[in-house]
Structures are given as C-alpha cells and as structure tokens.
Amino acid sequence: MAKKQQRKPQRPSQEAATATEAKNGLNLKEMLNAEALGKLKQLEKDMKAESERQAQEAAEKKRREQEEREKNKSFGELLEEYEKKGKGKFS
C-alpha cells in the first residue's frame, strides 16, 4: 500500500489573521497610533461641519429664491392667490 502524504497546515490568509486579531480583542483604535486616530477624528469633525454649512447654505438659497418669487409676482398672480384663500371681499 502507498503511504499517504502528510499535509502541511496552510498559512492563514490576511483576512483570517485580521479576524483572529479582532476576536482576540484588538480593534481599530488599538491598532492605530494616537496621532493617526486624532487626525481621523479631526477629519470627521471637519466633514460634519462642512456638510452642516452646505445644508445651511442650501436652505438660505431656497429662502432667498422664494422671497424673490414672491417679490416678482404679477398683480394677476397675487389676485388669484388671494381668491384661492377665500378671503375675498365679496366671497
């Protein structure tokens, strides 16, 4: 009978090694040094501030456009709007 060849254990892949480390209690905070973590947190704050600023600018632009439309309405449009509300003098 032929001898069976012994199989060598395969090296775990990078993903498996990362998963194993995660199971051992290591997390991203522990893997990164404090300086890199600080930079990431600052970047996150900057991104949030930028998105809030953009949202405020968009709301302000929308408000200005609405004011401009109201300002430029014709007499006929204003009269129609008044009659739709049902507050006409002779309604």
Side-chain angles (χ1 to χ4, degrees):
M1 288 213 211
K3 290 185 177 180
K4 290 186 179 179
Q5 292 181 351
Q6 291 183 355
R7 292 187 179 185
K8 294 181 182 178
Q10 294 180 348
R11 292 183 181 172
S13 66
Q14 182 66 22
E15 292 173 5
T18 305
T20 305
E21 288 176 5
K23 289 179 184 177
N24 291 337
L26 292 177
N27 58 21
L28 183 61
K29 186 177 179 182
E30 293 170 349
M31 287 189 264
L32 294 176
N33 63 19
E35 184 179 335
L37 188 60
K39 286 180 182 179
L40 286 173
K41 286 185 178 183
Q42 184 62 39
L43 181 63
E44 181 182 21
K45 286 179 186 178
D46 293 345
M47 289 175 63
K48 283 182 181 179
E50 179 66 21
S51 66
E52 288 176 7
R53 185 187 62 78
Q54 287 177 349
Q56 288 175 347
E57 285 179 0
E60 181 65 21
K61 182 179 178 184
K62 186 176 179 181
R63 185 190 62 77
R64 276 187 263 126
E65 288 174 353
Q66 181 65 28
E67 282 181 358
E68 194 65 30
R69 280 193 299 270
E70 288 287 326
K71 190 177 179 181
N72 294 330
K73 281 187 180 178
S74 68
F75 180 74
E77 290 171 329
L78 290 171
L79 186 60
E80 263 184 50
E81 198 174 280
Y82 186 73
E83 288 175 352
K84 283 182 182 177
K85 290 180 181 176
K87 296 180 182 176
K89 186 175 181 181
F90 302 108
S91 315

